[in-house]
């Protein structure tokens, strides 16, 4: 065994075998040091490239297949204020126009009037029922007839005289049934038949559970499925998932149709005699974009 301490003493002649071992050790040490220097010199650019890749937040967004653009966007002097899911998809207006052309139209919860602003170009008259005073002011400035009240506070003679009524409520599990029963009572009292169209978003668990229950409870006669894409890229996907539980400004929207009032599918007395629909839960349907640990339906039921 080579005594490294003895090798360091100038007065002692080293063993030849020990000299060779020391030289080999120095060579290996030099190789290791060179490899470390090369690794360090390469780390900087590598890390910069890696960070640059992580920081890239823009990808090419290819166009969606099929016709997903609303005819509203082709109208002169028309523009939108809100985007989905703050309002209904704009393609909803295209379908409503096919129902109300030359007829009267009403919308519950109109916000800034993007849907109504398009439908009004084809309807004989439009009426908005909106409880937010700020939105009421905007709607009045746009020239729409506005009932600035909570919809459930309206008495029959205060209801809009329309042929088609549309809504997409924020709390479908609670509002859909209450609004429909309220609407049926009012138009029966007015001896008027109205087509009610209700929106349902396939990205919202409560909506998709409410849809079949509403169809069965109130004798819905048709459902229109709308494929829509209002733009945006994957860049804002995660922000929307966190804030609105939607993957983006695109998806599938359903429009359920009901005939209510004087010649409606059911009279209110008949509805009251039937067992009340159970809207107290979402069953096994869960919104895939809900936060972990959240119950299937995002808010408490009553």
């Amino acid at each position: 065994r080579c005594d490294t301490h003895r090798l360091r003493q100038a007065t002692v002649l080293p063993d030849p075998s020990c000299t060779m071992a020391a030289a080999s050790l120095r060579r290996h040490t030099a190789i290791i040091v060179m490899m470390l220097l090369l690794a360090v010199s390469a780390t900087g650019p590598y890390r910069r490239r890696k960070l640059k890749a992580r920081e890239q937040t823009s990808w090419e967004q290819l166009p969606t297949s099929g016709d997903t653009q609303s005819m509203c966007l082709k109208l002169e002097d028309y523009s939108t204020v809100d985007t989905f899911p703050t309002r209904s998809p704009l393609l909803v207006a295209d379908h409503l126009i096919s129902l109300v052309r030359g007829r009267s139209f009403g919308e519950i919860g109109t916000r800034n009037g993007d849907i109504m602003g398009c439908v009004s170009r084809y309807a004989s008259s439009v009426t908005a029922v909106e409880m937010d005073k700020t939105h009421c002011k905007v709607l009045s400035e746009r020239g729409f007839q506005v009932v600035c009240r909570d919809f459930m506070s309206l008495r029959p003679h205060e209801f809009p005289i329309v042929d088609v009524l549309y809504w997409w409520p924020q709390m479908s599990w609670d509002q859909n049934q209450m609004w429909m029963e309220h609407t049926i009572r009012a138009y029966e009292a007015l001896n008027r038949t109205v087509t009610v169209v209700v929106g349902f978003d396939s990205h919202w668990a409560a909506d998709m559970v409410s849809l079949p229950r509403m169809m069965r409870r109130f004798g819905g006669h048709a459902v229109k499925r709308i494929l829509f894409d209002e733009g945006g890229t994957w860049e804002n996907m995660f922000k929307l998932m966190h804030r609105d539980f939607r993957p983006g400004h695109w998806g599938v929207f359903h429009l359920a149709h009901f005939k209510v009032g004087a010649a409606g599918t059911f009279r209110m007395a008949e509805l009251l005699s039937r067992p009340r629909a159970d809207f107290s839960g979402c069953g096994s349907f869960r919104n895939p974009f809900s936060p972990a640990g959240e119950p299937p339906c995002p808010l408490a039921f009553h």
Side-chain angles (χ1 to χ4, degrees), residues 107-110 116 127-131 139 145-151 154 160 165:
E107 184 180 9
I108 314 301
T110 316
M116 182 166 283
T127 304
V129 179
E130 173 61 56
M131 65 184 294
L139 294 168
Q145 181 178 340
V146 184
V147 179
C148 197
R149 294 263 301 278
D150 178 356
F151 178 59
L154 298 184
L165 188 66

Side-chain angles (χ1 to χ4, degrees), residues 128-182:
V129 179
E130 173 61 56
M131 65 184 294
D132 187 286
K133 293 183 179 180
T134 302
H135 293 141
C136 290
K137 182 179 179 181
V138 173
L139 294 168
S140 297
E141 290 172 351
R142 296 183 71 168
F144 303 140
Q145 181 178 340
V146 184
V147 179
C148 197
R149 294 263 301 278
D150 178 356
F151 178 59
M152 289 299 294
S153 73
L154 298 184
R155 291 170 290 181
H157 68 276
E158 297 173 313
F159 262 65
I161 304 302
V162 297
D163 297 303
V164 178
L165 188 66
Y166 171 70
W167 69 67
W168 177 38
Q170 185 175 4
M171 298 179 289
S172 54
W173 54 89
D174 219 9
Q175 292 171 312
N176 268 336
Q177 181 164 247
M178 289 194 305
W179 287 9
M180 186 65 79
E181 291 177 352
H182 190 50

Side-chain angles (χ1 to χ4, degrees), residues 31-235:
I31 292 172
I32 292 171
V33 170
M34 289 178 63
M35 291 177 65
L36 288 172
L37 289 173
L38 287 172
V40 170
S41 64
T43 300
Y46 171 76
R47 289 188 66 187
R48 286 195 293 271
R49 289 196 299 271
K50 191 172 183 181
L51 288 172
K52 186 176 180 181
R54 285 181 178 177
E55 290 169 359
Q56 181 169 343
T57 57
S58 180
W59 302 274
E60 181 183 7
Q61 185 68 40
L62 299 177
T64 301
S65 301
D67 184 11
T68 57
Q69 188 177 61
S70 169
M71 61 187 291
C72 302
L73 298 176
K74 302 174 184 177
L75 295 175
E76 188 177 353
D77 299 327
Y78 175 82
S79 62
T80 60
V81 178
D82 299 314
T83 57
F84 174 85
T86 303
R87 57 152 170 78
S88 301
L90 208 52
L91 276 171
V92 168
D94 295 50
H95 178 67
L96 293 173
I97 288 169
S98 69
L99 300 176
V100 306
R101 194 181 295 268
R103 306 170 72 201
S104 55
F105 172 70
E107 184 180 9
I108 314 301
T110 316
R111 286 190 61 83
N112 290 301
D114 288 348
I115 299 296
M116 182 166 283
C118 181
V119 176
S120 65
R121 307 287 186 96
Y122 302 90
S124 60
S125 65
V126 294
T127 304
V129 179
E130 173 61 56
M131 65 184 294
D132 187 286
K133 293 183 179 180
T134 302
H135 293 141
C136 290
K137 182 179 179 181
V138 173
L139 294 168
S140 297
E141 290 172 351
R142 296 183 71 168
F144 303 140
Q145 181 178 340
V146 184
V147 179
C148 197
R149 294 263 301 278
D150 178 356
F151 178 59
M152 289 299 294
S153 73
L154 298 184
R155 291 170 290 181
H157 68 276
E158 297 173 313
F159 262 65
I161 304 302
V162 297
D163 297 303
V164 178
L165 188 66
Y166 171 70
W167 69 67
W168 177 38
Q170 185 175 4
M171 298 179 289
S172 54
W173 54 89
D174 219 9
Q175 292 171 312
N176 268 336
Q177 181 164 247
M178 289 194 305
W179 287 9
M180 186 65 79
E181 291 177 352
H182 190 50
T183 300
I184 292 173
R185 287 190 183 96
Y187 287 118
E188 281 185 3
L190 294 171
N191 196 33
R192 185 177 183 86
T193 303
V194 174
T195 297
V196 175
V197 182
V198 182
F200 298 88
D201 177 18
S202 61
H203 284 143
W204 195 241
D207 274 15
M208 297 314 297
V209 172
S210 176
L211 173 57
R213 294 175 181 176
M214 288 290 291
M215 291 296 287
R216 289 192 294 266
R217 170 72 174 170
F218 298 103
H221 62 270
V223 177
K224 172 75 173 180
R225 184 169 61 234
I226 294 176
L227 311 178
F228 68 97
D229 187 343
E230 297 194 352
T233 67
W234 290 100
E235 298 173 40

